[in-house]
Amino acid sequence: MSFGPAIRRPLVLAVANQKGGVGKTTTAVNLAAGLAIAGVRTALLDLDGQGSASATFRWESSTGEPRDAATMFARELPLTSVLLETHVPGLSLVPAGDSLAGIDAKLATSFGRERILARCVASVREGAPEAVVIDTAPYLGLVTLNALVAADYLVVPVSCEYLPMLGLRLLHRTLEDVRRRYGARAEVLGYLLTMYDRREAITVEVEGILRRTFGDLVFPQPARVDTRHKASPSHKKTIFEFEGPSGRGRSDYAALVEEVLRRLRQRGHHPGAPPPPSFG
Ligand SMILES: Nc1ncnc2c1ncn2[C@@H]1O[C@H](COP(=O)(O)OP(=O)(O)O)[C@@H](O)[C@H]1O
Ligand SMILES: [Mg+2]
């Protein structure tokens, strides 16, 4: 019998909020890239049928079976078998796939259909990432539900353009339900203020409400308004490649990555740390 290096189930971080246009995709892409840059082997899993997170990257279309989220769900494949390398070292990608939008209906009658992703992630093999960052769709279909059930932690972007409490109450009800019915952890790791502009009254109001309601769970550094977030995906670049070190978007997401790692360490996780000596 041989003991290889310990292969652990990756930590799953879902970026979620059922509201559209709040910065989920921007946050998922740059959190995943930032974790990889920080030395955490990371996979970005695009679970929005629109495929906007995938659009930041180029990949070789495979000749065999398609490597994408739709195929992973349909055949219940291990996550590690559908990973594609990206141009960012340490970051792999599972693109959404053309048929992801139709997968909800297709899975409607499958057995244990809420836990398909949890099983795909748990079925770890050699080459497993340490962290999986999921970009989710702006509605609660079966695919999004799978993301919440598989999630250890959630990062919740909250746009400073609208009053958020109604939507957040809905999210919290869903999370309670997911924990109770499916035994998911699905713990909110933090709320990220996005589209943040201190000169706007609405920003000040949203920040006040959020910090009063959730205290330290709100990430200290918001993601400020930065038009470069809109431009970078069409150049196939993450904000870390598109902006210089003093860029606003880049420094905001660098701060997010640092804080996420700090909060994970507080909870006993050490992604990116050297593996313990193996006793094989
Ligand atoms: N901090 C920001 N400043 C300016 N524009 C942003 C910021 N974050 C995201 N955007 C832009 O806002 C739009 C919606 O963001 P996106 O990440 O796609 O949200 P979601 O995935 O929640 O729909 C996109 O055009 C995106 O480029
Ligand atoms: Mg999106």
Side-chain angles (χ1 to χ4, degrees), residues 19-26 195 223-227 229-230:
K19 193 153 181 61
V22 298
K24 287 185 293 297
T25 298
T26 305
M195 325 285 171
R224 290 166 288 176
V225 169
D226 179 3
T227 52
H229 284 306
K230 289 197 201 301

Side-chain angles (χ1 to χ4, degrees), residues 20-21 23-26 48 50 52-53 135-138:
K24 287 185 293 297
T25 298
T26 305
D48 185 353
Q50 305 273 322
S52 352
D135 185 27
T136 62

